[in-house]
Amino acid sequence: MSSFNSDKDVKKGVVKVLDEVDDNIDFRDDDSVPERRQIGLFSAVFIIFNRIIGTGVFATPSSILGLSGSVGLSLFMWIIGALIAAAGMQVYIIWGSAVPKNGGEKNYLEYLFRKPKFLVTSVFAANGVLLAWAAGNSLVFGEYILLAANVEPTRWTLRLVGFACVTFALLIHGVALKWGLRLQNFLGIFKILVLLFVIITGFVALGGHMKVPKPNNFTDAFQGTTASASSFCLSLYNVIWSYIGFSNVNYALAEVKDPKRTIRIAGPFAIGVVTVLYLLANIAYFAGAPKEEITGSGRLVAALLFRNVYGPRAERALSVFVALSALGNVLSVIFSQGRVNQELGREGILPFSKFWGSNRPFNAPLAGLGLHWTVCLIVIFALPPGDAYNFVINVISYPLSIINAAISFGIVYLAYRPYPDWPRVGIPAQAAAAFFGAVNVFLFVVPLTKPPVGADPYTSLPYWTHAVAGWAVFGLGFLYWVFWALILPKVGKYKLYRVEEWGKDGLRRHVFKTEKIQ
């Protein structure tokens, strides 16, 4: 006897029960609800911009310079990061064209790894739920807003301001959705203007109009270069963190007009513009402060530039601007991650799925947002403040590297052993996928090796903390799969399977159901 009522399911739009090995899952998109396609080319570009341009370019240059050892290599790292992002964008264009549905990597991993049943779904769910994406930029918001208020950031003041930031994001998106979207869009435009202002300030500094002696960072740009693989890897983590978001439109492809064409134009255009802005911003930093000041500034390098060019008052004003940029990124991240949690609930993957998938009481995913908020608070309050930001960057980048390696090499595999509905992929695209996959293998293998003296990523934590945490997240997903998909059905004497449904939002999803075994 099935555990769901057939009449109710007809109303919901159940169209097909998927077979036990998931070989017949339809990963193609459906055009049955054309009115859902409201995202055009311009909006798609802005979706990518709004996610990529957060606080990375304001907060990570000092770490990248410290790990690289020289201005020349530091700038070169940003170019390498752009090449990696371009290759990664190609990977997501291929997957987005083949599987133009909402959900991003979850769909791609499910397409690739169909056995054991539901394992990859559980592992991805653990990765989506347990990583505190919004915590890092909440802490950057705290540092910059405290600097603007002329308050020394102590262990607890920083944590409390970070708490206030992520809580504000939770409340406005969970209680007043329209106002949250308006604020998010406004801050998205605002942070691009802030970045342009930083670049203009760099040109002012290059012209010699400064309050301090002009630094000569470009005369011997590669002096002090380090050659450690570990330092190179950690530096890449920081750069890649600043480019994370190029895949953002893939999470909403079912709502994009002509998704295959749109993603092929929007992705490369966004990467190109962001690369130019990032390089010019870094040149601005090096034009306005000596190497030693930049490496000692922590995550306040943009404020340092304004102090040296315009004076202390301008430093405090820019600190407010960067804090608002950080807030915009937190709003964007918690908005999307809350919906990831909501979708996992609506598909029946999480325990108490109806609760996490609910839109009550304010017609917004308050429960899904609250789940991400809880994970962020654990990170903000449990980790040493000095290490928290770097840990968040690394622990998010590490599992993402594993996932990216899997879907990249998956493209190469499918080029020679394709499923019936897999499109033909050309040799250049295969090469880009292989390159992106190889880079990501490097990024998740090297952190397991001990870094040289002076290149440790943390002050208080062991160097391997983020690598172990990343694998632990996947391990928890595996244990959840054992409990949810193997033990509970056996004990409860039911079968777990999936059906295709159209939800009230007009989107099709694969939903888990149970059926009692007689």
Side-chain angles (χ1 to χ4, degrees), residues 362-429:
F362 302 105
N363 197 31
L366 182 60
L369 294 165
L371 180 57
H372 188 66
W373 173 81
T374 302
V375 175
C376 289
L377 291 192
I378 292 172
V379 171
I380 289 172
F381 285 98
L383 292 177
D387 287 333
Y389 183 74
N390 286 337
F391 175 81
V392 170
I393 290 177
N394 295 334
V395 81
I396 288 173
S397 301
Y398 192 89
L400 187 59
S401 296
I402 298 170
I403 292 172
N404 281 336
I407 64 174
S408 298
F409 290 126
I411 290 173
V412 179
Y413 172 81
L414 290 169
Y416 298 96
R417 299 192 64 180
Y419 293 136
D421 57 347
W422 182 252
R424 184 180 178 276
V425 177
I427 297 297

Side-chain angles (χ1 to χ4, degrees), residues 105-125:
E105 297 94 341
K106 176 181 177 293
N107 294 322
Y108 313 151
L109 291 170
E110 289 178 340
Y111 186 96
L112 273 173
F113 303 104
R114 304 187 178 193
K115 297 178 182 179
K117 281 195 310 176
F118 317 142
L119 173 58
V120 75
T121 304
S122 300
V123 170
F124 181 83

